[in-house]
């Protein structure tokens, strides 16, 4: 098989050409890989025992380089990316939330340099033969959004979507949400420090390429540059059916009270937080996670996943070590459930329901209507799984450069 080389423009062109059916196919493959990651058997290449912990190098130039090896049943590989470090503000976390429950956005790396990971993914087949070399910029954002969409796709209420951020992650989270649930999403609100960046992102979805979304979905922008920012922020957070946090935030994006107070708990929401990836970084206030796991602390998360009491994560091990929200909230492994493990329980329950049994109807109800927080720091497995599918599609569609006998 020839080596497939995909530049950043190749990857973006391919991903933009994906149909709803294509995205659902890729989502299914990723969900299966994450399911196998959580099963713990050594019979499958996606098993966690075959996914080494990533290695990071952080010299004094304000950059961190991550080395992320991983494998599936049919391929092995490693992604190497470099990204700008997030430097803590003088007084982190709670300092950004004043006593009157207003919020002052703290300095972030977004204001001075790009937060997009730069690097590549190298793929090999199961025999070690080179399979693909893929630019990682669009791939990283796409695979992260694809994983977030696994739960979003199954939510019953997605009419109002609030997105924090205006970069590649925000773009792909919005695009995939619209591809999969566009007929149900009536409003997308983009919240960002910079109005101009948010406006640029919004204009991408009003382009001719996305005309089919215009009539059904309305876009709006909220910037911290607005005079009524704190009041409007509270309104937008509480109105949202889905909250997608896509920023390398150091401090919480909004006060915990917006969701933990009685008024904020009147509806079920799906919250995805994927932007922070180090212990000092935090998109969601720790009190939000504390409330989520204490609401039904007497339940065991495997048998009673339908109730509140757990936070969903991509990797329990990685999030316990790297997820600022999880660490700062002081959560224990018993208060986390991997999305692959959750899907293992869901699949068994749905099969029982199909056969006429009761199954875990509460679990189905929680996934569709309950309060779910999904925290992700990213797995190399996601890159390998999605990268392999992208290579296959590129060969089928004649995209990229093919090198014979590499």
């Amino acid at each position: 098989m020839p080596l497939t080389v995909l530049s950043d423009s190749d990857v973006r062109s391919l991903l933009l050409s994906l149909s709803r059916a294509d995205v659902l196919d890729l989502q299914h493959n990723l969900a299966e890989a994450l399911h196998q990651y959580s099963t713990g058997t050594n019979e499958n290449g996606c098993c966690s025992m075959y996914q080494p912990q990533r290695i990071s190098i952080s010299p004094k130039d304000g950059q961190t380089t991550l080395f992320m090896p991983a494998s599936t049943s049919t391929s092995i590989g490693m992604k190497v990316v470099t990204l700008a470090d997030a430097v803590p503000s003088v007084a982190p976390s709670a300092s950004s939330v004043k006593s009157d429950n207003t919020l002052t956005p703290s300095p972030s790396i977004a204001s001075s340099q790009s937060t997009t990971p730069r690097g590549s993914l190298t793929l090999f087949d199961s025999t070690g033969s080179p399979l693909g070399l893929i630019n990682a910029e669009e791939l990283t954002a796409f695979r992260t959004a694809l994983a977030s969409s696994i739960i979003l796709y199954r939510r019953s209420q997605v009419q109002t979507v609030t997105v924090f951020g205006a970069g590649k992650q925000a773009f792909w989270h919005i695009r995939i949400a619209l591809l999969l649930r566009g007929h149900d999403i009536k409003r997308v609100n983009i919240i960002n420090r910079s109005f101009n960046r948010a406006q640029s992102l919004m204009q991408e979805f009003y382009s001719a390429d996305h005309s089919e979304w215009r009539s059904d979905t309305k876009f709006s922008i909220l910037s911290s540059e607005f005079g009524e920012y704190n009041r409007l922020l509270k309104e937008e957070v509480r109105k949202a059916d889905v909250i997608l946090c896509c920023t390398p935030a150091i401090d919480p994006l909004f006060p915990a009270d917006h969701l933990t107070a009685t008024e904020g708990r009147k509806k079920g929401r799906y919250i995805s937080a994927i932007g922070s990836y180090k212990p000092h970084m935090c998109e969601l206030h720790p009190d939000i996670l504390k409330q989520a796991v204490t609401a039904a602390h007497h339940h065991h998360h495997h048998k009673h996943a339908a109730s509140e009491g757990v936070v969903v994560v991509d990797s329990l091990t990685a999030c316990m070590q790297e997820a600022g929200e999880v660490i700062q909230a002081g959560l224990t492994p018993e208060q986390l459930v991997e999305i692959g493990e959750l899907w293992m329980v869901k699949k068994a329950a749905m099969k029982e329901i199909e056969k006429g049994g009761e199954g875990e109807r509460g679990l189905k109800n929680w996934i569709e209507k309950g309060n779910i927080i999904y925290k992700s720091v990213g797995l190399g497995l996601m890159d390998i799984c999605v990268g392999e599918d992208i290579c296959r599609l590129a060969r089928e569609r004649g995209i990229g450069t093919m090198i014979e006998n590499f």
Side-chain angles (χ1 to χ4, degrees):
M1 185 177 294
L3 173 69
T4 302
V5 180
L6 299 175
S7 66
D8 184 52
S9 60
D10 291 333
V11 177
R12 184 172 178 82
S13 174
L14 176 60
L15 294 179
L16 288 174
S17 73
L18 296 179
S19 66
R20 183 176 187 273
D22 292 330
V23 172
L24 284 174
D25 185 47
L26 267 61
Q27 184 198 75
H28 172 78
N29 293 343
L30 179 59
E32 284 297 316
L34 292 171
H35 162 65
Q36 292 162 7
Y37 170 82
S38 298
T39 58
T41 64
N42 59 8
E43 299 176 356
N44 192 287
C46 295
C47 171
S48 60
M49 68 183 297
Y50 300 134
Q51 315 301 326
Q53 286 293 104
R54 61 188 180 197
I55 300 170
S56 66
I57 297 177
S58 300
K60 296 181 179 180
D61 62 355
Q63 306 283 327
T64 292
T65 298
L66 301 176
F67 299 82
M68 304 171 65
S71 71
T72 68
S73 297
T74 54
S75 63
I76 55 176
M78 181 163 65
K79 185 174 79 170
V80 181
V81 291
T82 299
L83 57 165
D85 282 341
V87 181
S89 54
V90 176
S93 297
S95 67
S96 62
V97 183
K98 300 178 181 179
S99 58
D100 63 353
N101 217 28
T102 60
L103 180 141
T104 302
S106 59
S108 74
I109 56 177
S111 61
S112 60
Q113 53 190 305
S114 173
T115 60
T116 301
R118 302 187 185 281
S120 63
L121 169 68
T122 304
L123 281 173
F124 306 87
D125 66 20
S126 56
T127 68
S129 298
L131 182 66
L133 179 62
I134 308 172
N135 187 289
E137 289 190 35
E138 297 289 341
L139 169 67
T140 299
F142 176 82
R143 60 81 153 151
T144 306
L146 190 67
S148 294
S149 75
I150 293 173
I151 296 176
L152 183 147
Y153 179 61
R154 291 155 178 85
R155 297 291 291 179
S156 62
Q157 294 293 327
V158 294
Q159 290 186 356
T160 303
V161 178
T162 291
V163 182
F164 286 89
K168 288 184 185 293
Q169 289 284 7
F171 172 82
W172 283 111
H173 274 77
I174 295 172
R175 183 176 175 86
I176 290 177
L178 290 175
L179 271 173
L180 300 183
R181 299 294 302 275
H183 293 298
D184 302 312
I185 297 172
K186 303 305 179 186
R187 184 163 173 261
V188 174
N189 184 40
I190 302 169
I191 302 178
N192 195 60
R193 287 168 52 86
S194 167
F195 175 82
N196 289 337
R197 288 196 66 189
Q199 185 179 44
S200 295
L201 175 61
M202 183 179 71
Q203 288 173 345
E204 289 196 61
F205 291 99
Y206 276 99
S207 69
D209 293 338
H210 306 130
S211 58
E212 70 275 16
W213 295 332
R214 289 185 195 172
S215 59
D216 296 327
T217 305
K218 307 301 181 185
F219 286 79
S220 62
I221 295 173
L222 176 60
S223 168
S224 57
E225 300 167 357
F226 292 6
E228 292 289 308
Y229 177 71
N230 286 294
R231 179 182 64 81
L232 295 172
L233 174 66
K234 184 177 182 178
E235 290 181 2
E236 294 299 340
V237 168
R238 288 187 173 175
K239 285 191 298 186
D241 300 304
V242 177
I243 299 175
L244 303 173
C245 303
C246 307
T247 75
I250 299 164
D251 297 336
L253 297 170
F254 53 88
D257 181 71
H258 289 1
L259 294 182
T260 58
T262 301
E263 190 67 26
R265 299 173 65 185
K266 287 186 176 179
K267 66 189 297 184
R269 295 179 186 83
Y270 171 50
I271 305 173
S272 173
I274 59 85
S276 62
Y277 54 91
K278 288 189 175 183
H280 71 273
M281 301 174 71
C282 196
E283 292 182 290
L284 299 176
H285 196 291
D287 287 353
I288 296 173
L289 278 72
K290 289 178 183 178
Q291 184 185 76
V293 300
T294 57
H297 63 276
H298 57 283
H299 290 320
H300 189 281
H301 66 279
H302 296 293
K303 296 182 179 180
H304 299 277
S307 302
E308 294 181 28
V310 294
V311 169
V312 183
V313 297
D314 53 355
S315 166
L316 189 152
T317 301
C319 283
M320 287 297 296
Q321 295 177 355
E322 301 171 351
E325 292 91 345
V326 171
I327 295 168
Q328 294 178 36
L331 303 191
T332 65
E334 292 74 26
Q335 294 168 322
L336 307 177
V337 59
E338 290 179 345
I339 188 170
E341 186 178 9
L342 177 68
W343 237 244
M344 178 171 60
V345 176
K346 178 180 181 296
K347 288 172 67 175
M350 292 306 296
K351 286 182 179 179
E352 184 179 343
I353 291 173
E354 289 171 2
K355 293 179 180 178
E358 286 298 315
E360 286 282 350
R361 293 188 183 275
L363 171 62
K364 182 176 183 292
N365 185 65
W366 177 59
I367 291 174
E368 293 179 353
K369 302 177 182 179
N371 283 300
I372 298 183
I373 297 175
Y374 169 67
K375 174 60 194 174
S376 170
V377 293
L379 286 171
L381 174 62
M382 296 177 178
D383 299 297
I384 302 298
C385 176
V386 177
E388 192 173 2
D389 280 339
I390 287 176
C391 275
R392 171 181 56 80
L393 290 170
R395 288 193 297 271
E396 292 174 356
R397 301 179 183 187
I399 297 174
T401 302
M402 310 298 161
I403 304 177
E404 299 286 350
N405 302 317
F406 178 77

